[in-house]
Amino acid sequence: MIKKIGVLTSGGDAPGMNCAIRAVVRAGLKYGLGVYGVNDGYKGLVEGDIVELDRHSVSDIVSRGGTVLKTARLREFKEESVRQIAVNNLRKLGIDALVVIGGDGSYMGAKKLTEMGINCVGLPGTIDNDIASTDYTIGFDTCLNTIVDCVDKIRDTTESHQRCAIIEVMGNHCGDLALFSGIAEGAEMIITPDHPIPEEEVMASLRDLYESKKKRAVVIVSEKIYPDIHAFAKRITEETGFEAKAEVLGRVQRGGSPSAFDRVLAARMGAHAVDCLLEGKGGICVGMINNKIVDYDIYEALQLPRDKHISMLRLIDVLK
Ligand code: F6P
């Protein structure tokens, strides 16, 4: 029977991570476990930056964005010798098991640690929504609402100046933030890795639009599609009739108070992670599928095909 658990956040921070931390701490304490917070993700695990938490350590953090445990990306964690240092640090404190809140890169570290004797459970904490074993990741909903808020504002000036706004949103290699925000905004065009549009076709469609007397447009683009979004906007200005302005929303998308949806999701997942550890499970990750909290083996989860939201892709054309 486990007696002590740890919790850490890893990879890019996401709104709602604090709610997940709180859920793990409160549920752990409720079941009589000692609960430890690891600062700076796997980096803190290797450096031994681990502190015991009590219920007050997580008071008043539900509404705060970011992560109170801080986060980091540690490439060296792929090396077994580095992970062994982390295992030794956990053993020294008598910590039997760990909850890892982060993206799919963090999941792999959790699986490897489990194979070295520390049961780990992963929670999907990332704005990208790029984890196939859950319908939604913690932070996606808040980020989506932030994007919609920003695009609403950009739309005002786009409308006033009769321009074409090219808005680049985050998501790493996943187009969900662009797709969902584009649908929410009724964007004239949505360009994502799952819905790429050849540049020539973009130019031709915008030219048609301009000639149909529509003098303003909103185009939402996933990051990492165009190496230089400003050069892309310049080409639109030169070739379509529209005056195009590119906006890169950047890290404003990752900040801010988590939405109610993300808070509830994080609370449900955090409590489930503690249940799993108490049942002796490890090397798994928690998800929400069809509104049910579920868990998968991490290797299995990482092999699952991602939902490409084909029915939503259809909407782009239907609602044009
Ligand atoms: O994974 C979250 C994310 O915000 C991605 O959308 C983005 O590509 C990346 O992190 C940026 O990371 P960083 O802030 O470390 O540059």
Side-chain angles (χ1 to χ4, degrees):
M1 187 66 184
I2 59 167
K3 290 199 167 55
K4 292 181 182 178
I5 62 169
V7 55
L8 63 78
T9 49
S10 168
D13 61 315
M17 278 183 162
N18 283 330
C19 304
I21 295 167
R22 178 179 182 271
V24 171
V25 172
R26 291 281 167 92
L29 294 172
K30 175 90 184 164
Y31 296 121
L33 301 172
V35 185
Y36 289 72
V38 181
N39 290 313
D40 296 333
Y42 290 128
K43 182 168 169 279
L45 202 57
V46 172
E47 290 171 357
D49 189 356
I50 306 171
V51 288
E52 187 163 8
L53 302 175
D54 61 24
R55 55 176 295 108
H56 302 297
S57 319
V58 291
S59 295
D60 302 320
I61 66 169
V62 277
S63 58
R64 283 165 59 187
T67 158
V68 292
L69 290 177
K70 315 290 180 261
T71 186
R73 292 187 170 100
L74 182 69
R75 289 191 186 286
E76 295 78 9
F77 207 69
K78 287 190 177 135
E79 293 162 29
E80 189 172 345
S81 57
V82 175
R83 289 198 303 276
Q84 191 57 57
I85 301 170
V87 170
N88 296 346
N89 286 337
L90 289 167
R91 294 256 185 261
K92 253 184 262 166
L93 290 167
I95 299 171
D96 315 283
L98 195 65
V99 178
V100 172
I101 308 163
D104 49 5
S106 315
Y107 278 11
M108 197 46 106
K111 186 70 184 176
K112 296 280 180 200
L113 274 183
T114 303
E115 288 167 359
M116 294 170 78
I118 303 287
N119 269 353
C120 293
V121 175
L123 297 188
T126 167
I127 59 165
D128 298 336
N129 213 38
D130 57 351
I131 297 180
S133 52
T134 187
D135 288 342
Y136 296 105
T137 54
I138 298 165
F140 173 72
D141 181 67
T142 307
C143 179
L144 176 60
N145 280 291
T146 301
I147 294 172
V148 166
D149 187 43
C150 291
V151 178
D152 283 349
K153 292 188 168 84
I154 294 168
R155 183 186 281 285
D156 288 346
T157 167
T158 300
E159 180 93 44
S160 305
H161 284 264
Q162 296 283 280
R163 286 173 172 160
C164 172
I166 311 295
I167 302 165
E168 185 184 281
V169 303
M170 278 186 166
N172 200 8
H173 297 290
C174 175
D176 285 14
L177 284 168
L179 176 63
F180 283 60
S181 61
I183 301 283
E185 282 293 336
E188 273 66 28
M189 208 175 270
I190 303 170
I191 308 170
T192 80
D194 295 328
H195 184 251
I197 307 177
E199 238 176 287
E200 287 308 324
E201 215 179 290
V202 174
M203 299 303 151
S205 302
L206 287 175
R207 215 175 293 127
D208 286 352
L209 206 62
Y210 191 79
E211 278 158 17
S212 73
K213 304 228 176 328
K214 192 155 190 176
K215 295 290 177 273
R216 59 118 207 103
V218 170
V219 177
I220 311 264
V221 185
S222 292
E223 65 175 347
K224 301 185 183 177
I225 291 196
Y226 298 105
D228 182 347
I229 197 80
H230 295 283
F232 179 61
K234 189 163 174 270
R235 184 171 173 198
I236 292 172
T237 302
E238 286 165 359
E239 296 186 20
T240 68
F242 277 113
E243 183 192 4
K245 297 276 180 187
E247 318 288 346
V248 178
L249 294 190
R251 285 170 192 75
V252 72
Q253 295 165 95
R254 282 227 301 261
S257 184
S259 66
F261 180 88
D262 276 329
R263 297 182 199 196
V264 174
L265 183 66
R268 293 174 72 190
M269 289 181 166
H272 186 81
V274 175
D275 288 342
C276 290
L277 291 177
L278 285 167
E279 287 167 23
K281 291 187 187 170
I284 58 168
C285 55
V286 177
M288 184 181 75
I289 302 287
N290 297 330
N291 204 24
K292 299 264 181 306
I293 301 297
V294 293
D295 48 80
Y296 288 87
D297 173 82
I298 286 176
Y299 287 144
E300 205 184 297
L302 295 178
Q303 296 303 319
L304 290 174
R306 211 178 48 75
D307 183 356
K308 293 192 175 172
H309 307 291
I310 302 299
S311 59
M312 277 179 70
L313 286 176
R314 221 189 103 247
L315 280 183
I316 301 175
D317 287 328
V318 173
L319 303 180
K320 240 180 206 163

